[in-house]
Amino acid sequence: MSLALNPRFATPAADAFVFDPGQAVEGRREFVPRYGDDGWSLLALTQNPSQADDIIRWRWFPEVLREPFRYAAWTVINFPLPDLDVARPGVGMRSKLSVGRIMKTVNHWSMFAQWLDERGIKQLSLVTAEDLSDYSHHLDRARGLARNTATSHLIALSRLHYYGQLYLPDADRLIAPPWVAEGMDDYLPAASPLGENVTEPITPTTMGPLLVWALRFVEEYADDILAAFGEHRRLVEIAEALKGPFRKGSGLRLVAYLERLEREGSPVPAVIRDTKISTPGVFLAGRTGTPIAKVHQVMNYPRWKAYKVQNPGRCLLDAPITAKLGGEPWRDPFDFHDVPGILKHLVTACFIVLGYLTGMRTGEILALENGCCPDPQGPPEAARRHLIYARQFKVARDEDGNHQSAGVVRDAPWVAVPQVVTAVRVLERLGGHGLLFAIEVHDPLQPERRSGRSLAIATMSNRIESFIEWVNIHAQNRGRQAEAIPADPHGRVGTGRFRRTLAWHIARRPGGLVALAVQYGHMRTLISEGYGSRSRGGIHDLLDFETARNVAEHLSEVHEAIQDGEGVSGPAARRLPPPKNTTASAASSPPSARPTTCWPTRP
């Protein structure tokens, strides 16, 4: 399918492909949408494994403006912006947009279209420069958008103007926005101070317990969870292999198993949901080697149906609990049906450790592959450290400056501390090949359209909230309420705030901005300063408070040291007041009788 650039395109037929199936990622050509579809998925165009499967919904647009915007979107997807428009002064434009940026652009257009419809403007050519100026102020005053977000909206309208001049009929052409000639500053909200990153760091009261629990899962509980997962998978595989017509006598094993339980007075495995008791077909099939259909048939016999109701029990696995929490087993024996949930929490804990202790972006973590963190080579006596070789997407550009959806390998590998290496090894032990967070391994119930991709960013964000909820319930049940994870005052933890939080902590250390620039791959420390600052939230007051607290703690230690018989000499001794409860004899003793070494010196 070849599309020649022409200022007067005919609208594609309703059953025509939105883009050339030959451009689709291998194995996804059947997902290429048709022009007349109510929704357009662009997932087939991207190789970014964590790209969300967002869909352009044409119902977002008022009916009177729907088709002009549909056609405009089709041109943006299929045709590059000419160099003349890309090179115009002002905000930089790309000749081709990434899938994520196309989605945002069309979404911005939908908001603009709704605003036009509310004002009674039914045709793009009727929009005036004054209307566009009013809309820019609407983004600021009515919607309260941040400067960067408002900039994105205005760029989307600039792009609509440029494409309209090239491809759209006169009635659907948008006039040149005033910010194209005048610049955007007068049409945008005020900038944040010092170019600061506006993402809030996770508060220490939340981040501390969250990291502690994540490390417990990765370093202590992982072996137990993986053993349970192996047993769970073994039973499922047995049950899957037994599907199909069953032979005569195929239920004898199950009957013998049930008779033994009856003789011993033991409960029969069951699934208990509120007041409903049902048969765990897969578990009993795997445990007894009985086809699932036969399991349900036998369990419906009056004898066993009554016994199940009278003596329901858990579906316990033969998986040991070896890790401890406060000297006691960290949990009760694994139930077959609980394993998928606890495995998700383990994978989430691995993500938290990777996110906070490396500073990677969320998409970079989700794109990590098996083998990304090889064991270092060289003689044992040499300095050896693990490195993570990862792809980055934000700055991945081709020779024309357009986004590369597959990303590029980061020039400087990430330095991995031992806890991060352990998290990577845990994910590698889960099996599969390719991505560490492959959706086939970690969410096999997802639709096939995401096959070969990673967990979505939104999915991981939701799992972090579920992890926190599970930890708090677990701490409550174990009588360890003090170890619960407090809610963050700034809202959900999400996924991107780990990078921001680590940056803030690194930047506060001596030489932190340089270290941050090296770890995050920034070319200038100014960018790192934006990550590490928090002036808008009164951070200067917070830093003053922290400085005062550190001084107070230091003076308290000095006080204790002097009481223990240590002393201070040199110029500092003249500035340090004696502690209030220092004995009179010690306070009145001549300087020569006091220790002359500088504090602190321990005996």
Side-chain angles (χ1 to χ4, degrees):
M1 175 177 170
S2 175
L3 299 173
L5 292 180
N6 188 305
R8 288 289 184 270
F9 289 113
T11 302
D15 61 348
F17 290 115
V18 171
F19 52 87
D20 184 357
Q23 299 176 5
V25 176
E26 188 66 29
R28 298 189 174 277
R29 294 180 181 178
E30 66 270 26
F31 301 127
V32 177
R34 306 282 180 161
Y35 187 84
D37 291 348
D38 293 333
W40 290 1
S41 169
L42 305 184
L43 189 62
L45 276 178
T46 180
Q47 299 181 63
N48 186 333
S50 62
Q51 176 66 49
D53 188 11
D54 294 328
I55 298 176
I56 297 173
R57 304 289 184 184
W58 293 111
R59 66 172 182 270
W60 297 338
F61 291 81
E63 187 173 359
V64 68
L65 292 169
R66 186 172 302 159
E67 293 312 312
F69 277 101
R70 186 197 299 262
Y71 185 49
W74 178 80
T75 63
V76 168
I77 293 170
N78 287 285
F79 303 105
L81 197 63
D83 293 342
L84 178 64
D85 294 321
V86 173
R88 290 178 186 273
V91 178
M93 303 283 282
R94 302 286 181 188
S95 61
K96 290 282 288 184
L97 298 181
S98 66
V99 165
R101 180 52 60 182
I102 292 173
M103 296 296 305
K104 284 187 177 181
T105 297
V106 177
N107 188 41
H108 294 342
W109 288 354
S110 71
M111 292 174 57
F112 178 60
Q114 292 166 18
W115 183 83
L116 292 178
D117 188 54
E118 291 169 359
R119 291 171 67 101
I121 301 174
K122 308 299 183 182
Q123 195 169 300
L124 284 174
S125 62
L126 299 179
V127 177
T128 66
E130 183 179 358
D131 292 328
L132 292 171
S133 178
D134 289 346
Y135 184 68
S136 71
H137 297 309
H138 166 78
L139 296 176
D140 178 15
R141 298 166 187 169
R143 299 193 63 87
L145 300 184
R147 184 180 179 90
N148 288 345
T149 306
T151 300
S152 179
H153 279 263
L154 299 192
I155 291 175
L157 295 184
S158 299
R159 186 171 292 274
L160 180 61
H161 161 67
Y162 294 145
Y163 272 86
Q165 296 300 108
L166 289 168
Y167 307 123
L168 305 184
D170 292 342
D172 298 333
R173 292 184 180 181
L174 185 69
I175 189 176
W179 52 83
V180 170
E182 302 172 19
M184 287 192 176
D185 280 348
D186 293 338
Y187 299 91
L188 292 172
S192 61
L194 302 177
E196 180 187 342
N197 188 309
V198 296
T199 303
E200 289 287 352
I202 304 168
T203 56
T205 54
T206 299
M207 189 65 240
L210 178 60
L211 183 60
V212 166
W213 279 100
L215 288 173
R216 279 176 176 167
F217 266 76
V218 171
E219 298 186 321
E220 301 175 31
Y221 305 161
D223 287 342
D224 290 351
I225 296 173
L226 292 176
F229 172 62
E231 177 66 8
H232 181 279
R233 183 164 53 184
R234 185 184 70 83
L235 295 177
V236 170
E237 289 174 351
I238 291 174
E240 289 292 325
L242 292 170
K243 282 185 175 180
F246 45 84
R247 301 175 181 176
K248 183 179 180 180
S250 58
L252 295 179
R253 282 184 168 182
L254 175 60
V255 171
Y257 173 74
L258 295 172
E259 288 175 343
R260 178 171 62 81
L261 295 178
E262 188 180 46
R263 287 194 305 270
E264 297 171 352
S266 300
V268 64
V271 179
I272 304 174
R273 295 286 186 270
D274 298 326
T275 58
K276 183 179 180 181
I277 302 173
S278 56
T279 297
V282 176
F283 176 76
L284 289 176
R287 177 60 65 88
T288 65
T290 306
I292 296 176
K294 191 65 177 180
V295 168
H296 288 287
Q297 185 183 81
V298 171
M299 293 304 297
N300 278 326
Y301 293 166
R303 176 184 177 184
W304 303 123
K305 189 174 184 179
Y307 189 75
K308 177 182 68 176
V309 173
Q310 295 168 4
N311 297 278
R314 299 176 62 199
C315 303
L316 299 180
L317 297 176
D318 296 328
I321 305 296
T322 60
K324 304 290 184 181
L325 179 62
E328 300 291 333
W330 70 280
R331 61 158 295 137
D332 296 332
F334 287 101
D335 185 283
F336 175 83
H337 299 96
D338 293 340
V339 171
I342 200 67
L343 184 68
K344 288 182 180 179
H345 294 322
L346 175 60
V347 173
T348 303
C350 290
F351 178 90
I352 293 170
V353 171
L354 284 164
Y356 182 67
L357 296 183
T358 66
M360 292 185 193
R361 294 183 177 89
T362 303
E364 294 167 354
I365 298 173
L366 296 176
L368 291 176
E369 299 179 353
N370 283 273
C372 66
C373 185
D375 290 327
Q377 302 298 315
E381 65 274 9
R384 304 169 70 186
R385 59 181 181 178
H386 284 82
L387 301 175
I388 294 181
Y389 299 88
R391 285 182 286 164
Q392 56 185 357
F393 299 90
K394 185 175 181 179
V395 296
R397 307 291 176 194
D398 59 21
E399 61 275 8
D400 296 322
N402 295 319
H403 180 72
Q404 286 185 289
S405 65
V408 294
V409 176
R410 194 172 186 262
D411 291 335
W414 295 93
V415 177
V417 296
Q419 296 87 343
V420 169
V421 178
T422 302
V424 171
R425 297 292 179 259
V426 168
L427 292 169
E428 289 176 337
R429 288 170 62 186
L430 284 171
H433 55 82
L435 299 170
L436 289 180
F437 291 91
I439 199 166
E440 295 92 337
V441 176
H442 303 296
D443 201 353
L445 299 181
Q446 282 283 318
E448 291 183 359
R449 65 186 304 111
R450 289 200 58 83
S451 177
R453 310 188 81 77
S454 72
L455 292 171
I457 293 175
T459 299
M460 186 54 68
S461 179
N462 291 334
R463 288 191 178 187
I464 290 173
E465 298 305 313
S466 296
F467 178 80
I468 294 173
E469 181 182 1
W470 184 94
V471 164
N472 289 341
I473 294 174
H474 184 70
Q476 176 76 25
N477 294 340
R478 295 281 162 173
R480 307 178 76 88
Q481 293 87 338
E483 298 181 30
I485 303 172
D488 188 279
H490 301 295
R492 289 165 59 96
V493 171
T495 57
R497 294 177 68 192
F498 294 115
R499 175 179 170 88
R500 172 76 164 111
T501 306
L502 178 62
W504 186 69
H505 285 296
I506 293 176
R508 294 172 60 236
R509 307 299 299 170
L513 289 179
V514 176
L516 183 60
V518 172
Q519 177 70 351
Y520 281 24
H522 294 155
M523 294 299 293
R524 297 179 298 159
T525 58
L526 178 62
I527 302 175
S528 299
E529 189 172 3
Y531 269 97
S533 61
R534 264 189 74 183
S535 59
R536 74 190 176 287
I539 192 61
H540 296 305
D541 294 337
L542 178 59
L543 288 176
D544 288 343
F545 172 76
E546 289 188 347
T547 301
R549 185 177 63 183
N550 288 336
V551 171
E553 291 176 352
H554 182 66
L555 289 175
S556 177
E557 292 174 358
V558 172
H559 172 83
E560 294 175 0
I562 291 177
Q563 283 191 321
D564 290 342
E566 300 178 18
V568 179
S569 63
R574 295 191 294 271
R575 300 194 304 270
L576 183 69
K580 292 181 180 180
N581 58 348
T582 302
T583 61
S585 59
S588 60
S589 60
S592 60
R594 300 175 189 172
T596 57
T597 54
C598 292
W599 184 89
T601 58
R602 294 291 183 186

